[in-house]
Amino acid sequence: MNIVVIGSLNMDMVVRTERAPEAGETLFGQGFALSPGGKGANQAVAAARLGAEVTMIGSVGRDAFGSELLEVMRQEKINTEHIVQSDTHSTGVASIVVDGEGENRIIVVPGANMGLGVSDIALLAPVIKEAGIIVLQLETDLPMCEHAAAMAHSYGIPVILNPAPARALSNELLQHVTYLTPNETEAGILAGMAVNSVEDAEQASRILLQKGVQNVIVTLGSKGALIVNKDGSMHIPGYPVQVVDTVAAGDSFNGALAVQLTGGQALAEAVRFANAVGALAVGKQGAVSSLPYLPEVEQFLRDAAER
């Protein structure tokens, strides 16, 4: 089954430092790297490395970063036929500060990612209609995302929406979402409440179910993930690992979830597998460079079962 990822492609500019600077403060960093990224690209690569057939829909600039991102996607055996090269926008970039604890602070300049609009998606109806699942995030044009979700819903194609970066979403969009995958902060923003515990996450999820989402899966970092739907709630524990950086942790989770669901796995098992993929991703630096291949995940799960 083909996974269609509609989303962002960015070049990540990653600075490593012991701690993030305060306002007006200058610090020395320990390292700098350019790394292919963007939530859409990360999720597409995550799924492809786990053995899925993946089509990426997005937009880059007609510049060096855009050419590099296209080449990376092709090397990962992702169908790039529907990635547009814009003549009017530069490729999106993300400025990422990673501190000594592996936590990250990110500023995204979307550039060409915002150039993909409703009219572009309308032309891709045949691609969406044949998808096994559609994966969306919020680093692109919101009306475009709304149109893509509505189109997929009309064809009976399940939709994963990773609501990052978080922003206000219409109930109409949420009613077209099969699987909503916020982290704790995003769940709180969408539900209009503070989320500081698993219990809070469940309460926020219930609010989102009332808005029309079918399944809410709140990612809880090292604590794993919480599934909430009309059948109840289930906490799927995470895997204890040494964190190097959390860049692309959520993206690896979403790519893995899409692979498992298109493969026919039950939701709880799919989330358990996605937790393992996320655990492996936080053990390496970078975005695309941190995403694991299927044999690594299978070995990790075998080792975890023996512990």
Side-chain angles (χ1 to χ4, degrees):
M1 295 288 278
N2 185 32
I3 294 170
V4 175
V5 179
I6 305 173
S8 55
L9 301 102
N10 294 327
M11 187 59 72
D12 292 345
M13 300 178 290
V14 185
V15 175
R16 303 191 69 82
T17 179
E18 275 305 305
R19 64 175 177 83
E22 303 293 336
E25 182 183 21
T26 300
L27 296 176
F28 284 109
Q30 281 73 53
F32 171 78
L34 284 175
S35 175
K39 298 194 75 62
N42 293 342
Q43 292 174 19
V45 173
R49 289 187 177 182
L50 297 171
E53 178 187 342
V54 181
T55 294
M56 178 84 204
I57 296 173
S59 178
V60 296
R62 200 172 292 279
D63 50 32
F65 284 169
S67 298
E68 186 173 344
L69 284 164
L70 280 170
E71 183 56 31
V72 168
M73 295 291 104
R74 290 176 185 131
Q75 288 175 359
E76 298 289 344
K77 299 180 173 58
I78 292 166
N79 180 352
T80 61
E81 181 184 351
H82 305 296
I83 299 177
V84 177
Q85 276 197 286
S86 171
D87 292 313
T88 54
H89 296 89
S90 58
T91 299
V93 294
S95 172
I96 303 174
V97 176
V98 182
D99 68 20
E101 301 298 315
E103 292 297 328
N104 60 74
R105 294 162 179 82
I106 304 174
I107 299 172
V108 175
V109 181
N113 290 306
M114 290 297 177
L116 190 76
V118 170
S119 59
D120 300 296
I121 288 298
L123 294 173
L124 295 173
V127 179
I128 291 174
K129 191 173 186 177
E130 295 301 315
I133 200 164
I134 299 293
V135 183
L136 296 163
Q137 325 80 36
L138 298 177
E139 287 183 339
T140 49
D141 180 61
L142 185 55
M144 182 277 292
C145 290
E146 292 172 338
H147 190 73
M151 188 185 299
H153 186 261
S154 72
Y155 295 138
I157 309 299
V159 174
I160 294 175
L161 174 60
N162 177 219
R167 51 173 134 168
L169 298 177
S170 68
N171 287 0
E172 183 182 7
L173 171 56
L174 294 174
Q175 286 162 12
H176 296 145
V177 174
T178 321
Y179 305 98
L180 187 73
T181 58
N183 63 22
E184 291 162 284
T185 301
E186 292 151 1
I189 290 170
L190 291 173
M193 61 172 284
V195 174
N196 298 308
S197 65
V198 175
E199 291 74 24
D200 289 345
E202 179 169 357
Q203 185 179 343
S205 297
R206 295 284 172 209
I207 293 170
L208 293 169
L209 291 182
Q210 290 170 7
K211 293 176 180 287
V213 178
Q214 292 181 42
N215 302 273
V216 181
I217 304 155
V218 183
T219 55
L220 304 167
S222 61
K223 297 191 292 290
L226 180 71
I227 301 169
V228 184
N229 54 32
K230 63 180 176 55
D231 297 323
S233 64
M234 182 183 299
H235 178 222
I236 309 293
Y239 296 90
V241 291
Q242 182 66 43
V243 175
V244 175
D245 82 42
T246 57
V247 174
D251 296 332
S252 66
F253 180 96
N254 280 276
L257 183 68
V259 172
Q260 289 283 289
L261 292 172
T262 54
Q265 294 293 337
L267 183 54
E269 192 52 45
V271 170
R272 191 169 285 111
F273 180 90
N275 280 347
V277 174
L280 282 165
V282 300
K284 298 178 187 176
Q285 291 184 19
V288 166
S289 57
S290 73
L291 301 171
Y293 291 88
L294 184 58
E296 293 176 74
V297 183
E298 291 172 338
Q299 185 61 53
F300 179 87
L301 288 168
R302 282 194 294 269
D303 292 345
E306 291 171 5
R307 285 198 289 269

